[in-house]
Amino acid sequence: MRELAMLDPRGAARDPRPGLSGVPSVDLAAWFEARGEPAFRARQVEHAVWAGSASSAADLTTLPRPLAAAIDEAFRWSTVADDTVITADGGQTEKALHRLSDGTTVESVLMHYPARAGRRARHTLCISSQAGCAVGCPFCATGELGFERDLDTAEILDQVRSAVARLMRNELAGGKTGAAAERLTNVVFMGMGEPLLNLDRVLESVAALNDPSKLGLGARHITVSTSGVVPGIRRLTALGPQFTLAISLHAARDSLRDVLVPLNRRWPVAEVAAAGRDHARATGRRISYEMTMIGGVNDTDADADAVATLLRGDLAHVNLIPMNPVAHTPWRASEMPVIERFAARIEAAGIPVTIRRNRGVEIGAACGQLAAERAGAPTAPAVARRRQRLEAESAKALHGERSDEPVPAGVEP
Ligand code: SAH
Ligand code: SF4
């Protein structure tokens, strides 16, 4: 068996066999055809891959044994191993730590929302598109890790398959969470990484999630969040509506956004909003602007007014999310009354706004706050230096000075 991850958990060579979920249907069909197998075999295997109960081709009793062995020899049934699943919020939030074949780890978060008056239960999965992230937003645990590597299509999709399988097991176990006896309803690319810096793979993944013979999830139930990679947004606009686009705004003033979203030094906020506006116009789909609310940093009246000025008249919606505490920053979430005041000022400008409570705070499973455990935490002096630097930078930014720090390496698509 080629379980490389089990032999050497970090830095192992990647298993060269492609993950089955990432193989386009035509290529899979061609593989079977080349072996002289009937065409229905490819569909049968594809169906089993997405049905969620098998863990290798060998589990499929309907396949001839030599064929099953050949499939397992050529492909990986899954590219992720669920090393740990931690639950919080009374079972309503599950964080899964996935180990990839080269020992890299990424995380996904499954959130159960019970049925409420007139609304069906929802099960939303937040997935990672990269291991680590090059953008380096200082309030984000993934950003602190730095960039490790892009995930391939199967590695993105297999996080989804893992959640589908867990939902099925919950159901079989009698609905442990009380809300799990249903299918996955939403997928959000808000885990580790910047999806628009791995856009080809993200688009392939979305196509598979959409495909009725695979997951069959409607485009309206898929959200991709970007920190503002303008060329990526423009590319999506040219493709037409594929999913809901969320843009992580965090600040509408360049000086502050330079600090909070370092790629603002490359694509300033007005360019990001212009790309968002064009996207909304071309697709007819509202853009969701996300703001992580940080006490005394981006929650002032002046910031609210800047957001209102930036987005006034746009097909946009603003989502305010209290910052989840991340160990190595000097910052805390804004107080709720401050967030409510901020929301009211934006709403007064005619822009719809909602305040979202984060899930899984106690297990560090808030979507977008993921940083798979790594060896060696930074030393205390390094953390103190980082805090001091962030305090100085954000204080400078509040006075309107632009950052003179370089654009982070690796953010050009
Ligand atoms: N890189 C993309 C998608 C992943 S991050 C992006 O930045 O949009 C997904 C969301 O989680 C972003 O809106 C991000 O700002 C938010 N996030 C990151 N760290 C957070 C924290 N500590 N508290 C609250 N939200 C956070
Ligand atoms: Fe990357 Fe998004 Fe985290 Fe910023 S918030 S560092 S873009 S994952």
Side-chain angles (χ1 to χ4, degrees):
M1 229 171 83
R2 271 189 275 181
E3 283 286 354
L4 295 179
M6 304 207 31
L7 297 176
D8 180 3
R10 258 211 113 77
R14 242 155 124 172
D15 188 327
R17 295 172 301 159
L20 267 175
S21 63
V23 180
S25 302
V26 282
D27 296 352
L28 195 62
W31 186 87
F32 280 90
E33 200 186 319
R35 302 180 60 86
E37 294 288 341
F40 74 87
R41 288 288 182 214
R43 290 196 297 276
Q44 189 181 6
V45 168
E46 206 159 72
H47 177 79
V49 162
W50 286 95
S53 51
S55 51
S56 69
D59 287 351
L60 307 183
T61 48
T62 47
L63 285 183
R65 294 300 82 196
L67 178 59
I71 294 168
D72 285 331
E73 182 69 29
F75 303 100
R76 276 178 289 164
W77 193 260
S78 176
T79 56
V80 307
D82 297 344
D83 276 320
T84 330
V85 178
I86 313 166
T87 60
D89 302 328
Q92 297 295 295
T93 305
E94 298 173 24
K95 175 170 89 163
L97 179 69
H98 307 285
R99 193 168 292 276
L100 311 179
S101 69
D102 62 354
T104 304
T105 47
V106 294
E107 296 175 353
S108 66
V109 183
L110 180 57
M111 291 159 283
H112 307 287
Y113 300 90
R116 263 190 294 145
R119 265 201 106 165
R120 291 180 50 200
R122 281 182 298 133
H123 307 284
T124 298
L125 179 70
C126 174
I127 57 173
S128 298
S129 56
Q130 298 180 314
C133 181
V135 179
C137 306
F139 55 85
C140 169
T142 307
E144 204 192 333
L145 281 180
F147 178 68
E148 286 187 55
R149 70 169 172 86
D150 284 332
L151 301 192
D152 68 28
T153 308
E155 288 167 337
I156 296 172
L157 289 171
D158 289 347
Q159 298 169 61
V160 179
R161 289 174 57 224
S162 149
V164 167
R166 266 181 288 128
L167 274 170
M168 269 178 57
R169 282 201 296 272
N170 282 351
E171 185 176 4
L172 293 176
K176 212 170 45 189
T177 65
E182 284 183 42
R183 45 172 293 174
L184 190 63
T185 51
N186 299 77
V187 172
V188 299
F189 286 73
M190 292 190 180
M192 299 170 79
E194 169 46 59
L196 268 52
L197 291 177
N198 189 18
L199 189 49
D200 290 335
R201 267 65 184 280
V202 166
L203 286 171
E204 281 170 19
S205 307
V206 169
L209 297 178
N210 265 170
D211 187 337
S213 65
K214 294 182 178 175
L215 189 67
L217 198 60
R220 286 179 189 278
H221 298 271
I222 302 171
T223 300
V224 175
S225 178
T226 179
S227 56
V229 180
V230 170
I233 299 173
R234 299 237 173 254
R235 205 179 135 198
L236 289 175
T237 307
L239 289 173
Q242 315 274 315
F243 41 69
T244 301
L245 186 64
I247 296 180
S248 294
L249 186 62
H250 308 313
R253 299 190 282 164
D254 278 320
S255 54
L256 186 55
R257 201 166 186 273
D258 281 349
V259 176
L260 297 182
V261 191
L263 62 65
N264 193 72
R265 300 164 201 162
R266 175 71 183 80
W267 295 292
V269 70
E271 278 182 38
V272 175
R277 191 171 303 130
D278 292 346
H279 187 82
R281 279 201 193 122
T283 61
R285 303 279 304 273
R286 193 180 289 279
I287 304 272
S288 176
Y289 285 91
E290 313 283 312
M291 291 217 29
T292 295
M293 301 301 287
I294 312 175
V297 173
N298 63 351
D299 60 358
T300 66
D301 285 353
D303 284 294
D305 294 346
V307 171
T309 305
L310 184 74
L311 303 180
R312 198 188 302 270
D314 286 5
L315 190 54
H317 173 270
V318 176
N319 220 338
L320 307 178
I321 306 141
M323 184 188 116
N324 268 291
V326 169
H328 308 134
T329 73
W331 300 323
R332 288 276 158 278
S334 308
E335 303 288 340
M336 204 35 92
V338 175
I339 300 183
E340 281 161 4
R341 181 187 163 99
F342 194 98
R345 283 182 94 91
I346 297 177
E347 212 155 32
I351 302 163
V353 49
T354 47
I355 300 173
R356 197 172 74 200
R357 271 258 140 242
N358 249 327
R359 275 293 191 93
V361 174
E362 71 266 38
I363 53 169
C367 219
Q369 198 214 326
L370 304 179
E373 282 88 277
R374 57 178 171 163
T379 61
V383 170
R385 273 199 304 279
R386 176 180 158 86
R387 289 199 168 137
Q388 257 176 11
R389 180 176 58 77
L390 291 175
E391 265 175 7
E393 280 186 2
S394 53
K396 213 168 99 177
L398 289 174
H399 289 104
E401 286 175 53
R402 297 279 318 254
S403 168
D404 44 23
E405 295 291 319
V407 175
V411 304
E412 290 287 350

